[in-house]
Amino acid sequence: MAITHNLGFPRIGARRELKFALESYWKGESSLDALKAVGAQLRARHWEDQAGLDLVPVGDFAFYDQMLDMSFTLGNLPERVQGFEGDALDNYFRVARGRSAPEADARARCGGVAAGEMTKWLDTNYHYIVPEFTADTTFRLDASRLLAQLEEARAQGVGAKPVIIGPVTYLALGKSKDGADRLALLDRLLPVYGELLNTLAAHGVEWVQIDEPILVTELDAPWRHAFEDAYHTLKSVPVKLLLATYFGELQDQRYLVANLPVAGLHIDAINGRDDITPLLNLLPSGKVLSLGVINGRNIWKTDLNGVLDWLEPIQAQLGERLWIAPSCSLLHVPVDLDSERKLDGEIQSWLAFARQKLEELRILATALNQGREAVRAELDANRAAIEARRHSPRVNNPTVKAAIAGIDAGMGRRRSPYAERAIRQAARLQLPKFPTTTIGSFPQTSEIRVARRRFKAGEIDAAAYQEIMHGEIARCVREQEALGLDVLVHGEAERNDMVEYFGEQLDGYVFSQFGWVQSYGSRCVKPPILFGDISRPRPMTVDWISHAQSLTDKPMKGMLTGPVTLLNWSFVRDDQPRAVSCRQLALAIREEVLDLEKAGVGIIQIDEAALREGLPLRRSQWQDYLDWAVESFRVTANGVGDETQIHTHMCYSEFNDIIESIAAMDADVITIETSRSDMELLDAFDRFKYPNEIGPGVYDIHSPNIPTKAHMVDLMTKAAARIPAERLWVNPDCGLKTRQWGEVIPALTRMVAAAKTLRAAHPASSAASKPAAPLAAGS
Ligand SMILES: Nc1nc2c(c(=O)[nH]1)N[C@@H](CNc1ccc(C(=O)N[C@@H](CCC(=O)N[C@@H](CCC(=O)N[C@@H](CCC(=O)O)C(=O)O)C(=O)O)C(=O)O)cc1)CN2
Ligand SMILES: [Zn+2]
């Protein structure tokens, strides 16, 4: 009997119930008890959805983040929140979101609680709260959350399998605050894991899933040894451990993993398929092998017959020791395809969301356990859907294929080198030194969202919607002029999201109504579905940007999302290489760039916020990705004339190891997130002698805190020590859409004041560094 199980279920709720409950509680509109009740309802519903499985995950539910849950379970709370008197969940939210200080304290830059740092979970668009360590970190078990959820699951009668993050991944994905070696903490950490596992055993648990996804990254010797140490230490605990890896291949860590003293392994059979045959030979007899045969990162139906062809011989070899599951937690896919009412019917028949994926798992298990005949109708229907998608004329567009074949290197090359372009652009734009700008979005107010909802529901027509958006754009332009910003933006009011908005307008994409996926905390995205060859039927942003430009004499920056980011934040077809889809996106966005230029837009920003997260988990595969990603950006951006200034923006990035590729993009200006790292991220640009202009973000837009002018001047002074002042811009870290106007106005007022101070402090251009900037003298 092949056992079926699941690694994790989306917790936000099919109708984003958790999001609304959280935000309501944070606003003070509902009680903590009400929030906890919603959590319990969602857990119950999700176990119900999974009740057909032999084992369901327990502990995968989190009110904010599973990594932060683990930190609380291990008693690893940052010192700044220790000794909190109230409800533990409130303290948890203090770490997750920070707590701004009362007005007076804020001015003194003290009081309040800084939020924990947030970063991307491996190569996904999910963000976790980074565990913090120092040399003095100690751990203390708090199993209450897991035990309470275990009891709930038991009461519901499901086969409960607690899920925890493994000790080595927990250390590896955390951050040392004082430079101390994280691995030195392993000896202190393992007894707490031991205690946790013993406690679970005492509560009747048989299997525990212990996630160690860093096993699919390249590990150096000390980290490999840590795995040996950890699992040999834990080997005597009276529960069976299912060590889970996902998202990639073990490669040369296969032997290590196969021989760790655990009762079972879970392997991602989609992204780590090549591991399976060698592992079958390495695996000691008696060990369970769980194969993740259903893609937990994508929304396409599984080819069930194909999987069975592959699995049946493995089952013959492993017998009872074969388990099957999705490849990873289903956190990364939407909940229920059956909610969709407006999806194209043909395309809907090619898809599976979380609930449908579990049904696929059931069919596979029945076929393995009772023979394919027992699910003949389901298998035939699945085959028909897979075949229909494979042969659908809607997927292939010969014109697009021909255009891709016609891409040549010249398309990705600017006419002149940066130094020459800079002169022409300076003459055209007449900007002061330390020019100020923003990253694109301004607050997405509830008026904007309600108007869009009403428009989509047919309650207001396109003209009325356009009028409301024009009103928002006008307000945004007015505010920026009053602030004295140098390069304005239209504010992105008309966009639900920087990726979905373009997905809605490009051919080759469909989008869902309820396909929400958690990005962090209560924030979700609805990744559009790239199913076919991509083309642009008509201009997408030109009217909005031209309208915004008509309202001001200041330069208005056109705003686009780049091909790599569209790719990395969409659900992408799996029937051709991603590089090919990326090139198609590049050609479509290139047309938009050229249309904006034709409309007289002098500055065009092409966001590539997700460029870095698309990096393969293994460095050995980086260059191949970077080559096509950078080439796609170049094809998108570099068809413009010298006078047109191209900006790009990247957040959440570390640049040291990819700086050459960043430079190869050849954007005239790059704006990046740097404020939280105290400008350290600029070291890469400095060392590499990055030749073009840079806007290192001077304030953290993720926090409601209003930065002080002095702090921003200080940060820019640090920046100017690394990058010649002539090539520096002043801007926030990222877009302002999640902030309120009441936060944005004072923050930008101070930012503009900081730029003025900087101009006064750097009056003359130093000869050292500028390409040649006749008009760069400060105002
Ligand atoms: N795709 C993507 N990934 C990204 C980012 C990003 O901007 N986009 N930024 C980084 C951080 N991640 C983020 C992810 C989401 C949000 C975010 O603000 N999401 C919004 C949803 C945005 C959206 O699609 N909004 C729609 C739908 C809004 C909505 O919920 N409408 C209500 C009604 C409106 C109301 O009553 O308020 C409804 O339909 O029920 C719209 O504006 O049209 C949210 O969760 O609240 C922010 C940052 C990294 N990854
Ligand atoms: Zn950003």
Side-chain angles (χ1 to χ4, degrees):
M1 289 283 284
I3 297 280
T4 54
H5 73 115
N6 187 23
L7 282 75
F9 196 82
R11 50 202 174 223
I12 202 76
R15 288 288 185 275
R16 290 183 293 163
E17 291 88 339
L18 181 59
K19 171 197 174 64
F20 297 119
L22 283 167
E23 291 177 359
S24 157
Y25 173 63
W26 292 336
K27 272 188 245 154
E29 289 167 3
S30 56
S31 67
L32 195 55
D33 284 343
L35 174 62
K36 289 181 177 172
V38 170
Q41 280 161 17
L42 286 170
R43 288 192 294 272
R45 192 205 291 164
H46 297 158
W47 285 322
E48 181 63 37
D49 286 341
Q50 302 173 84
L53 303 177
D54 296 308
L55 291 171
V56 304
V58 170
D60 55 335
F61 178 88
F63 276 106
Y64 200 95
D65 166 47
Q66 72 268 17
M67 200 66 156
L68 186 58
D69 275 2
M70 201 64 211
S71 290
F72 274 69
T73 300
L74 297 170
N76 179 27
L77 277 55
E79 203 175 281
R80 61 187 182 277
V81 302
Q82 284 174 18
F84 179 73
E85 302 275 304
D87 192 286
L89 190 54
D90 280 327
N91 205 25
Y92 171 91
F93 290 140
R94 291 186 346 138
V95 186
R97 312 177 60 231
R99 188 77 203 216
S100 54
E103 187 69 26
D105 289 354
R107 255 178 270 129
R109 286 189 64 76
C110 64
V113 172
E117 192 180 325
M118 212 167 55
T119 200
K120 302 263 173 169
W121 179 242
L122 299 144
D123 61 352
T124 74
N125 194 5
Y126 177 79
H127 307 59
Y128 69 95
I129 304 285
V130 180
E132 298 177 23
F133 304 115
T134 66
D136 302 327
T137 297
T138 53
F139 303 96
R140 208 182 70 207
L141 180 65
D142 176 358
S144 55
R145 170 186 61 91
L146 269 169
L147 292 178
Q149 295 184 16
L150 186 63
E151 200 169 312
E152 289 175 4
R154 291 261 175 73
Q156 214 174 313
V158 290
K161 176 195 59 176
V163 177
I164 59 176
I165 310 233
V168 187
T169 292
Y170 182 76
L171 289 176
L173 297 185
K175 192 168 170 179
S176 166
K177 290 279 157 179
D178 58 1
D181 176 18
R182 284 163 293 161
L183 270 183
L185 298 173
L186 189 62
D187 286 347
R188 260 178 255 167
L189 183 56
L190 289 176
V192 179
Y193 270 87
E195 205 185 324
L196 171 60
L197 295 169
N198 276 301
T199 305
L200 292 173
H203 285 78
V205 167
E206 186 187 2
W207 281 94
V208 174
Q209 174 188 323
I210 189 157
D211 287 7
E212 290 284 12
I214 61 149
L215 280 165
V216 305
T217 66
E218 279 134 347
L219 298 174
D220 50 23
W223 287 94
R224 289 172 182 235
H225 288 146
F227 273 103
E228 305 269 5
D229 280 359
Y231 288 90
H232 278 97
T233 306
L234 295 176
K235 130 175 118 185
S236 55
V237 294
V239 286
K240 295 179 183 160
L241 295 181
L242 180 74
L243 182 88
T245 74
Y246 37 81
F247 301 157
E249 295 174 0
L250 299 172
Q251 293 188 1
D252 53 352
Q253 275 134 213
R254 283 171 198 150
Y255 184 83
L256 166 77
V257 174
N259 291 295
L260 289 174
V262 291
L265 290 182
H266 169 85
I267 305 290
D268 178 335
I270 309 286
N271 295 298
R273 179 86 169 232
D274 291 348
D275 284 336
I276 310 292
T277 307
L279 269 179
L280 286 170
N281 296 322
L282 288 171
L283 209 64
S285 62
K287 205 174 263 190
V288 160
L289 183 62
S290 161
L291 294 181
V293 291
I294 289 172
N295 196 334
R297 293 285 297 276
N298 218 330
I299 42 64
W300 305 108
K301 266 188 183 158
T302 307
D303 175 0
L304 298 177
N305 294 282
V307 169
L308 286 172
D309 290 345
W310 178 76
L311 265 184
E312 282 162 350
I314 296 177
Q315 189 195 25
Q317 186 179 342
L318 291 179
E320 300 279 296
R321 291 156 53 208
L322 173 68
W323 291 18
I324 56 172
S327 60
C328 59
S329 166
L330 297 175
L331 179 67
H332 311 286
V333 293
V335 179
D336 190 6
L337 185 64
D338 292 341
S339 307
E340 298 298 326
R341 291 286 167 268
K342 295 185 178 163
L343 258 180
D344 176 285
E346 185 184 1
I347 290 166
Q348 186 156 351
S349 74
W350 303 342
L351 305 179
F353 292 178
R355 281 193 179 135
Q356 289 70 35
K357 285 174 187 284
L358 294 178
E359 171 63 8
E360 292 185 336
L361 195 60
R362 183 194 68 81
I363 298 169
L364 286 176
T366 310
L368 289 175
N369 294 335
Q370 301 169 32
R372 295 195 197 194
E373 281 315 311
V375 279
R376 176 56 53 206
E378 289 93 330
L379 290 177
D380 288 347
N382 175 266
R383 185 191 311 276
I386 300 288
E387 287 297 314
R389 180 176 161 220
R390 204 166 279 156
H391 300 296
S392 171
R394 299 178 58 189
V395 170
N396 297 298
N397 178 341
T399 318
V400 176
K401 295 267 193 303
I404 296 302
I407 293 180
D408 64 61
M411 288 174 81
R413 220 176 290 127
R414 293 292 291 264
R415 270 154 237 183
S416 310
Y418 165 75
E420 283 170 43
R421 300 186 321 248
I423 297 170
R424 304 220 169 98
Q425 291 164 18
R428 175 182 186 179
L429 296 169
Q430 304 275 336
L431 295 172
K433 209 184 221 178
F434 293 105
T436 51
T437 192
T438 60
I439 304 305
S441 56
F442 269 82
Q444 278 274 331
T445 60
S446 74
E447 293 79 54
I448 295 176
R449 288 194 170 150
V450 168
R452 185 153 40 247
R453 184 188 57 200
R454 298 187 61 206
F455 174 46
K456 290 199 168 175
E459 291 167 29
I460 59 173
D461 63 12
Y465 178 67
Q466 191 192 57
E467 197 179 308
I468 298 170
M469 293 303 124
H470 278 178
E472 293 292 338
I473 290 171
R475 169 191 191 180
C476 189
V477 171
R478 221 168 37 236
E479 296 288 5
Q480 292 174 87
E481 287 194 323
L483 285 162
L485 287 157
D486 299 306
V487 170
L488 310 196
V489 296
H490 78 296
E492 303 181 27
E494 81 290 3
R495 300 184 189 180
N496 44 8
D497 174 71
M498 60 187 287
V499 170
E500 194 183 5
Y501 178 75
F502 290 95
E504 287 176 358
Q505 299 187 75
L506 290 166
D507 280 351
Y509 262 115
V510 289
F511 51 95
S512 64
Q513 276 173 285
F514 305 104
W516 294 102
V517 177
Q518 189 177 17
S519 181
Y520 68 88
S522 70
R523 296 281 173 176
C524 301
V525 294
K526 189 138 61 59
I529 298 167
L530 191 164
F531 73 93
D533 288 339
I534 292 292
S535 60
R536 185 196 71 144
R538 61 192 71 83
M540 302 180 285
T541 64
V542 178
D543 286 348
W544 297 112
I545 305 292
S546 304
H547 176 74
Q549 180 69 80
S550 76
L551 303 175
T552 179
D553 294 331
K554 293 269 180 92
M556 175 62 58
K557 185 160 63 163
M559 192 60 55
L560 300 171
T561 303
V564 186
T565 299
L566 290 174
L567 185 87
N568 285 336
W569 287 349
S570 298
F571 287 124
V572 177
R573 61 193 285 190
D574 53 2
D575 60 343
Q576 69 181 17
R578 289 169 73 82
V580 175
S581 296
C582 196
R583 283 189 196 106
Q584 295 182 356
L585 289 163
L587 285 184
I589 307 298
R590 174 186 172 95
E591 289 175 23
E592 189 73 13
V593 169
L594 296 177
D595 278 345
L596 283 171
E597 181 179 51
K598 223 178 287 162
V601 179
I603 306 182
I604 301 168
Q605 177 173 314
I606 304 164
D607 291 324
E608 284 293 19
L611 186 117
R612 191 184 164 99
E613 82 188 42
L615 281 174
L617 290 165
R618 289 183 173 265
R619 276 172 186 262
S620 55
Q621 296 158 5
W622 279 19
Q623 200 53 49
D624 178 54
Y625 164 80
L626 286 169
D627 287 347
W628 60 254
V630 169
E631 181 60 18
S632 292
F633 179 86
R634 291 175 60 103
V635 165
T636 303
N638 290 352
V640 297
D642 286 347
E643 299 73 22
T644 300
Q645 187 170 72
I646 294 290
H647 289 217
T648 190
H649 163 72
M650 287 180 202
C651 35
Y652 301 109
S653 283
E654 142 83 61
F655 296 93
N656 273 308
D657 41 15
I658 57 168
I659 189 72
E660 270 175 69
S661 298
I662 302 295
M665 291 164 72
D666 200 21
D668 297 299
V669 182
I670 180 170
T671 55
I672 60 173
E673 173 184 318
T674 36
S675 71
R676 278 183 294 184
S677 76
D678 207 31
M679 296 287 150
E680 272 169 26
L681 284 179
L682 283 179
D683 290 345
F685 293 83
D686 186 11
R687 213 170 312 123
F688 183 74
K689 303 268 169 277
Y690 181 82
N692 305 1
E693 292 162 54
I694 308 178
V698 288
Y699 82 85
D700 174 15
I701 59 89
H702 296 101
S703 158
N705 297 349
I706 314 294
T708 63
K709 177 186 149 189
H711 185 57
M712 291 187 275
V713 169
D714 178 47
L715 284 176
M716 284 308 292
T717 305
K718 285 185 175 143
R722 294 164 160 105
I723 309 289
E726 291 73 17
R727 284 197 263 123
L728 285 172
W729 287 62
V730 180
N731 47 263
D733 265 348
C734 188
L736 301 165
K737 67 179 176 186
T738 58
R739 300 263 61 86
Q740 326 238 314
W741 278 105
E743 295 156 355
V744 163
I745 297 291
L748 291 178
T749 301
R750 293 178 189 178
M751 189 188 87
V752 171
K756 289 197 174 129
T757 301
L758 289 160
R759 284 169 200 157
H762 292 78
S765 314
S766 70
S769 51
K770 43 175 196 153
L775 293 159
S779 61

